[in-house]
């Protein structure tokens, strides 16, 4: 019997609890079926690993889905700042686009 992807990722996290990718991968896995559980992992990343740029896009989207507009906006803004500081041009463009779409939809 093979392990589920989530079980495998949780095992990786147990082995390396301070590795942001492990936390990120678990958060993404949970977004599929348990968004509130995903939120716990995204918030852990935002707090403990604020320089981990990929978090911001997905956390912002999840906050949007959960209709937490103020949190979504704050996460997108912070993500733009972090991506800019790290010169992560692709992530920056994705975050700027997501933030603009968020603003456009919010203003409707």
């Amino acid at each position: 019997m093979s392990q589920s992807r989530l079980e495998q990722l949780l095992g990786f996290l147990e082995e390396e609890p301070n590795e942001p990718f492990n936390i990120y991968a678990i958060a993404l896995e949970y977004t599929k079926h348990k968004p509130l559980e995903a939120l716990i992992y995204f918030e852990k990343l935002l707090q403990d690993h604020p320089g981990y740029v990929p978090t911001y896009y997905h956390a912002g989207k999840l906050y949007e889905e959960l209709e937490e507009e103020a949190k979504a906006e704050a996460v997108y803004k912070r993500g733009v700042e972090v991506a800019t500081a790290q010169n992560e041009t692709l992530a920056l463009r994705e975050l700027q686009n997501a933030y603009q779409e968020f603003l456009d939809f919010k203003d409707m």
Side-chain angles (χ1 to χ4, degrees):
M1 185 167 126
S2 66
Q3 284 185 309
S4 75
R5 177 167 168 74
L6 182 58
E7 289 170 331
Q8 189 175 28
L9 292 170
L10 290 167
F12 292 153
L13 181 61
E14 193 172 306
E15 291 171 15
E16 294 182 278
N18 292 318
E19 172 55 48
F21 178 78
N22 292 336
I23 302 164
Y24 175 73
I26 292 167
L28 288 180
E29 196 65 25
Y30 274 127
T31 58
K32 299 172 187 172
H33 305 291
K34 294 184 178 181
L36 295 179
E37 194 71 24
L39 193 57
I40 292 167
Y41 287 92
F42 282 129
E43 288 179 346
K44 179 173 178 47
L45 281 165
L46 292 168
Q47 179 179 328
D48 297 347
H49 304 280
Y52 195 71
V53 176
T55 305
Y56 292 92
Y57 176 87
H58 295 285
K61 286 293 184 187
L62 184 55
Y63 279 127
E64 279 188 72
E65 289 174 24
L66 297 173
E67 298 180 3
E68 298 212 29
E69 290 183 357
K71 288 184 179 181
E73 185 166 7
V75 166
Y76 285 136
K77 283 181 176 179
R78 183 68 184 133
V80 167
E81 292 170 5
V82 173
T84 299
Q86 293 185 19
N87 200 26
E88 292 279 351
T89 54
L90 179 59
L92 176 60
R93 197 166 345 139
E94 289 175 340
L95 282 162
Q96 288 172 326
N97 288 340
Y99 182 45
Q100 189 59 53
E101 287 175 14
F102 166 77
L103 291 175
D104 291 347
F105 183 75
K106 183 179 163 187
D107 291 340
M108 293 178 102

